[in-house]
Amino acid sequence: MKDVYLFSGFLGSGKTSMLTDVLRQLKEKGLKPAVIMNELGKLPFDSRAVDEDVPLKEMLEGCICCSGAEKTEAQIQSLLMDSEFDVLIIETTGAAHPVEALDAVYSPLFAEQLNIKGIVTVADSKLWLERETLTPQVRSLYLEQIRHAHLLLANKMDLLTEVEQAKVVFEMQNVNPNAFILQTTNGKVPLSLLEKLKATAHKSKEDIEIARIGTQLYLSSRLVELKTSYTQEQFEEWVRSLPSTVYRIKGYVPIEGIKNPMLFQYAYGLVQWLPEYIHMPSKIVMIGENIQEIEVLNEK
């Protein structure tokens, strides 16, 4: 299993500084990192922070979260086939929504090979105090990146007074009461804190641990093996019964009377079925909050 971290945060928040320092710590520990960088521009400026001996995939002029999801899947498959590494770090663009970024990297094709450790969001503390100056859309994304973080770095604390520092931490904790908040300067985060994260849900109910801040958090992903066939109506009825905290489902569902499991995707209340011309494993990935508590169709 390869550990995977998603680094989230706005442009200028300190993500690249964090990435550079984490790569250094991984190497000092004798671990081999690989990196996927997501950039909206044509020139890969940030990739200069990654040493030549680190396997690197870049996605220019694309976003990890929508049209770029399939490209991300292909990049990860390519890394798994061609490169030797222990830890994969995916640096998302500042425009990526955390849920969609998690969805893009967790494919049923290779879910069993990846251990999604969590989303680490770097938040510019000075920007937090000035967030009312942002446009509503940008401010909403900024809050969502903070709300869905498993580990939250309140960065650039050196630019604030003690009173402002306390205000930032208190207010961010109100937005995301489940994340551990680390006050940082220059995006410095101890590797030991990252290693404690655990965003991949356990595979069986017997293995579920008591939730702890910084280890098992609300936004998580779960791989489910489907052991029986269904009609499309049965499966969709189950999907409709799920709580709104299930954000994404994708994978291959065995349908009665059809030779190969069909590709199924669910997002924003909409479902999509596509025929598959080769036999894919009957597995789905679910992404949401408290996902390990959901009763799956074939478990009823």
Side-chain angles (χ1 to χ4, degrees), residues 152-155 157 165-166 169 180-185 188:
L152 186 54
L153 270 61
N155 199 28
M157 277 290 176
Q165 289 175 3
V169 173
F180 182 86
I181 298 181
L182 180 69
Q183 298 181 52
T184 59
T185 301
K188 300 277 189 195

Side-chain angles (χ1 to χ4, degrees), residues 229 252-263 273-282:
S229 297
Y252 299 95
V253 179
I255 297 298
E256 292 176 4
I258 296 178
K259 182 181 176 184
N260 295 321
M262 292 186 72
L263 174 61
W273 294 94
L274 292 170
E276 187 57 59
Y277 298 103
I278 57 174
H279 191 87
M280 304 299 290
S282 300

Side-chain angles (χ1 to χ4, degrees), residues 25-181:
Q25 293 182 72
L26 287 168
K27 288 181 175 182
E28 286 178 358
K29 197 174 177 181
L31 296 170
K32 291 183 178 178
V35 176
I36 292 178
M37 301 190 90
N38 229 242
E39 303 185 42
L40 288 172
K42 290 185 178 181
L43 296 174
F45 291 111
D46 283 356
S47 62
R48 296 171 194 171
V50 180
D51 292 341
E52 289 182 6
D53 62 334
V54 175
L56 171 68
K57 299 285 183 183
E58 293 172 285
M59 289 178 56
L60 304 180
E61 293 192 284
C63 178
I64 196 169
C65 55
C66 32
S67 58
E70 289 181 2
K71 292 179 185 174
T72 306
E73 205 170 281
Q75 300 280 40
I76 294 173
Q77 278 190 294
S78 173
L79 277 173
L80 287 169
M81 290 174 61
D82 303 335
S83 305
E84 283 191 21
F85 65 94
D86 304 302
V87 179
L88 174 60
I89 297 174
I90 299 174
E91 186 186 278
T92 65
T93 70
H97 188 289
V99 174
E100 294 175 348
L102 190 62
D103 176 52
V105 303
Y106 206 166
S107 163
L109 295 175
F110 45 70
E112 288 176 318
Q113 298 178 61
L114 302 180
N115 178 31
I116 313 290
K117 296 286 283 182
I119 297 170
V120 183
T121 295
V122 189
D124 182 332
S125 300
K126 195 165 179 61
L127 182 62
W128 174 263
L129 294 174
E130 300 165 356
R131 63 191 182 280
E132 295 304 320
T133 64
L134 301 171
T135 64
Q137 186 178 10
V138 171
R139 185 167 66 247
S140 174
L141 178 60
Y142 184 49
L143 288 169
E144 286 291 281
Q145 288 180 346
I146 290 170
R147 188 171 84 84
H148 288 296
H150 298 113
L151 173 62
L152 186 54
L153 270 61
N155 199 28
K156 303 187 182 181
M157 277 290 176
D158 55 318
L159 303 179
L160 307 183
T161 65
E162 286 188 15
V163 172
E164 288 173 330
Q165 289 175 3
K167 177 180 170 67
V168 166
V169 173
F170 177 76
E171 290 178 351
M172 285 187 178
Q173 198 78 75
N174 280 337
V175 173
N176 185 344
N178 308 300
F180 182 86
I181 298 181

Side-chain angles (χ1 to χ4, degrees), residues 102 106 116 199-202 219-223 285-288 291:
L102 190 62
Y106 206 166
I116 313 290
T200 303
H202 296 284
L219 182 62
S220 60
S221 45
R222 178 178 171 191
L223 177 67
V285 171
M286 303 173 67
I287 294 171
I291 206 75

